[in-house]
């Protein structure tokens, strides 16, 4: 009789073990089957193109919506390698040529990144938009082109004339841009805004100022007939940007990092004034 107690004890322990482990194994099997049915992790971004034409009592209106995607690597200051971004560009325009432009950016990492809000969004009005080979997002409205940073979506500068582009070395590229001064700057006598920029960032922005208000009005009206040029000479930095004007050229020596305003030459009655960013 004494030898049967260990047997019954073992049976009881075994039954207890199965009573506990079998439900756990069943739950694990169910969860594994659920995970298998879910498949790989993925994310989908929608978008498309459409055209809407409407007859409103004899007045026909046309509205076009386009959405495109692009993937590219964008250099970011402070990061050792370019950042891979997925860009979604949306334009919504009508008969008048101007419409809504939007650019959303996501990091290219895991599918979960695309389920999160974009890291930045650019919203503006314009008639055209494109991602340039210079690593900038360009929009256009009424003949004026605006440059936006693809690193963080910030506005960089405007230009009403073709850019003057050059390089100090193959990997040190610079551009100079000129825009007619906006009305908010007229009270300061501003005629135009000259921007000196590196890829994705502004190095310096200066105002071309007329001391005589009447002359300033005339210069603003004719400024787009001129053009910024750049050439090398025996000057500090070895390069100059020049704006030819009827009264004489505006000449500014440049280095790889800045405009050398101290050694610039301007016609009589004009001057250059640094334009500080807001808040400085």
């Amino acid at each position: 009789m004494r030898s049967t107690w260990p047997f019954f004890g073992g049976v009881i322990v075994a039954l207890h073990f199965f009573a506990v482990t079998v439900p756990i194994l069943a739950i694990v099997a169910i969860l594994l089957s659920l995970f298998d049915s879910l498949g790989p992790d993925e994310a989908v971004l929608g978008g498309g193109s459409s055209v809407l034409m409407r007859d409103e009592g004899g007045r026909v209106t046309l509205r076009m919506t386009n959405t495109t995607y692009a993937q590219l690597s964008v250099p970011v200051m402070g990061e050792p390698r370019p950042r891979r971004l997925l860009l979604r560009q949306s334009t919504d325009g009508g008969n008048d040529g101007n419409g809504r432009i939007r650019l959303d950016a996501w990091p290219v990492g895991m599918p979960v990144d695309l389920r999160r809000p974009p890291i930045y969004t650019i919203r503006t009005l314009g008639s055209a938009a494109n991602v340039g080979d210079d690593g900038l997002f360009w929009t256009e409205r009424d003949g004026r082109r605006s440059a936006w940073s693809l690193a963080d979506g910030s506005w960089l500068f405007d230009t009403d004339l073709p850019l003057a582009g050059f390089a100090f070395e193959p990997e040190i590229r610079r551009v100079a841009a000129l825009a007619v001064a906006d009305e908010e700057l007229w009270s300061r006598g501003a005629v135009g805004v000259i921007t000196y920029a590196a890829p994705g960032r502004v190095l310096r922005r200066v105002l071309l100022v007329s001391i005589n208000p009447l002359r300033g009005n005339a210069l603003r009206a004719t400024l787009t007939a001129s053009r910024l040029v750049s050439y090398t000479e025996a000057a500090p930095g070895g390069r100059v940007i020049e704006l030819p004007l009827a009264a004489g050229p505006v000449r500014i020596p440049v280095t790889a990092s800045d405009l050398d305003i101290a050694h610039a030459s301007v016609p009589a009655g004009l001057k250059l004034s640094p334009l500080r960013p807001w808040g400085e």
Side-chain angles (χ1 to χ4, degrees):
M1 290 294 294
R2 286 182 297 178
S3 62
T4 60
W5 286 110
F7 171 76
F8 286 113
V11 171
I12 293 172
V13 171
L15 291 175
H16 179 73
F17 175 79
F18 281 109
V20 173
T21 57
V22 168
I24 294 176
L25 293 175
I27 293 173
V28 171
I30 293 172
L31 290 176
L32 288 175
S33 64
L34 288 176
F35 284 129
D36 289 339
S37 65
L38 291 176
D41 186 18
E42 62 182 21
V44 178
L45 293 176
S49 301
S50 63
V51 176
L52 172 63
M53 182 177 289
R54 178 179 297 170
D55 185 353
E56 300 175 346
R59 180 177 177 270
V60 178
T61 60
L62 181 68
R63 192 150 204 91
M64 296 179 291
T65 301
N66 293 292
T67 302
T68 58
Y69 288 88
Q71 183 183 166
L72 74 163
S73 296
V74 178
V76 178
M77 288 190 63
E79 297 187 8
R81 292 180 297 178
R83 181 186 298 172
R84 294 178 62 208
L85 294 179
L86 177 68
L87 303 177
R88 179 175 64 190
Q89 178 182 325
S90 304
T91 57
D92 183 1
N95 291 29
D96 58 358
N98 286 324
R100 295 186 297 269
I101 297 172
R102 173 170 175 158
L103 185 76
D104 299 303
W106 289 268
V108 178
M110 299 296 292
V112 67
D113 294 326
L114 301 186
R115 292 195 287 269
R116 294 169 178 160
I119 57 175
Y120 67 77
T121 296
I122 298 172
R123 292 185 180 90
T124 188
L125 298 176
S127 58
N130 70 285
V131 176
D133 295 334
D134 50 8
L136 299 176
F137 180 58
W138 288 94
T139 61
E140 183 173 347
R141 183 182 184 187
D142 300 329
R144 168 169 288 187
R145 300 176 68 214
S146 299
W148 307 78
S149 169
L150 288 175
D152 58 13
S154 61
W155 170 82
L156 295 176
F157 59 87
D158 296 328
T159 181
D160 293 316
L161 299 176
L163 299 176
F166 49 90
F168 287 91
E169 296 179 14
E171 66 277 7
I172 303 179
R173 296 177 292 110
R174 299 291 182 261
V175 296
L178 175 66
V180 178
D182 292 330
E183 187 174 354
E184 63 191 36
L185 297 172
W186 291 1
S187 61
R188 299 168 59 177
V191 173
V193 180
I194 299 174
T195 302
Y196 186 48
R201 58 193 176 98
V202 171
L203 299 175
R204 177 73 68 177
R205 187 178 286 114
V206 298
L207 295 178
L208 177 62
V209 177
S210 173
I211 299 174
N212 186 310
L214 293 178
R215 186 185 182 192
N217 292 337
L219 284 173
R220 278 191 294 270
T222 59
L223 196 60
T224 54
S226 186
R227 180 168 182 167
L228 276 177
V229 296
S230 174
Y231 53 86
T232 58
E233 69 166 24
R239 182 167 287 276
V240 169
I241 59 173
E242 181 176 302
L243 175 64
L245 298 175
V250 175
R251 301 175 68 254
I252 310 174
V254 297
T255 65
S257 59
D258 205 352
L259 298 176
D260 187 2
I261 301 177
H263 294 91
S265 62
V266 297
L270 300 179
K271 66 177 183 178
L272 296 173
S273 176
L275 180 60
R276 304 293 182 185
W278 293 109
E280 289 192 4

